[in-house]
């Protein structure tokens, strides 16, 4: 069942990416929904899950965005593992901590991507620093919003389940 939920979430992220790219050409540069998914799964604290989700989502990102295949796969694998490792050692429950985790993950991903491009390409086209900083902040805000909306939804579902079962008795 968790694998099905993961695939549904990945399909939703791909669909949102395409819709966002259709709405504005700058939206994929502004926000990396794939990274939000990697960090969210990494926050569960399972190292193997962080590695696997980072690798799979990164490879899907490379396939969807048309970049050099394997760059995001490598970067997101490291970010997923690092997020899971940090989640094992830190208690991250409040919005500032969640924002910091998502923002640090975005900064780490951008640094890894720039390092890989510089090492692998003869004449690398480096991204604009302003867009990189905007992307880090936007990823942090999107991560906080996603986690808070998910928590609220789970609370509503739990209240509904309790009220439904109490009415049946």
């Amino acid at each position: 069942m968790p694998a099905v939920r993961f695939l549904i979430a990945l399909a939703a992220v791909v669909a949102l990416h395409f819709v966002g790219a259709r709405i504005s050409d700058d939206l994929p540069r502004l926000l990396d929904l794939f990274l939000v998914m990697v960090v969210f799964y990494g926050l569960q604290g399972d190292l193997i899950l962080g590695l696997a989700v980072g690798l799979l989502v990164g490879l899907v990102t490379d396939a969807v965005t048309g970049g050099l295949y394997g760059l995001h796969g490598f970067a997101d694998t490291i970010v997923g593992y690092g997020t899971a490792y940090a989640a094992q050692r830190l208690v991250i429950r409040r919005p500032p901590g969640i924002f910091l985790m998502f923002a640090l993950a975005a900064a780490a991903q951008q640094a890894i991507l720039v390092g890989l491009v510089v090492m692998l390409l003869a004449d690398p086209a480096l991204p604009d620093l302003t867009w990189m900083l905007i992307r880090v902040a936007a990823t942090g805000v999107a991560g906080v919003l996603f986690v808070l909306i998910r928590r609220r939804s789970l609370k509503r579902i739990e209240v509904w389940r309790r009220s439904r079962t109490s009415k049946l008795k």
Side-chain angles (χ1 to χ4, degrees), residues 59-80:
L59 293 176
V60 169
T61 304
D62 289 329
V64 167
T65 58
L68 188 59
Y69 198 68
L71 284 181
H72 281 91
F74 186 79
D76 287 353
T77 302
I78 294 172
V79 168

Side-chain angles (χ1 to χ4, degrees), residues 8-10 38 67 84-85 90 98 103 114 141 145 152-153 155 166:
I8 291 171
L10 186 58
V38 169
Y85 187 80
L90 302 172
I98 295 169
V114 167
V141 170
L145 289 175
R152 187 172 180 163
S153 300
K155 284 181 184 178
S166 64

Side-chain angles (χ1 to χ4, degrees), residues 115-133:
L116 287 172
V117 166
V118 167
M119 286 186 342
L120 296 175
L121 299 178
D123 188 24
L126 298 178
D128 185 24
L129 182 61
T130 306
W131 277 106
M132 287 175 65
L133 294 175

Side-chain angles (χ1 to χ4, degrees), residues 160-169:
W160 174 77
R161 281 183 185 166
R162 286 184 185 170
S163 68
R164 189 185 76 157
T165 57
S166 64
K167 290 179 184 177
L168 292 176
K169 291 181 182 180

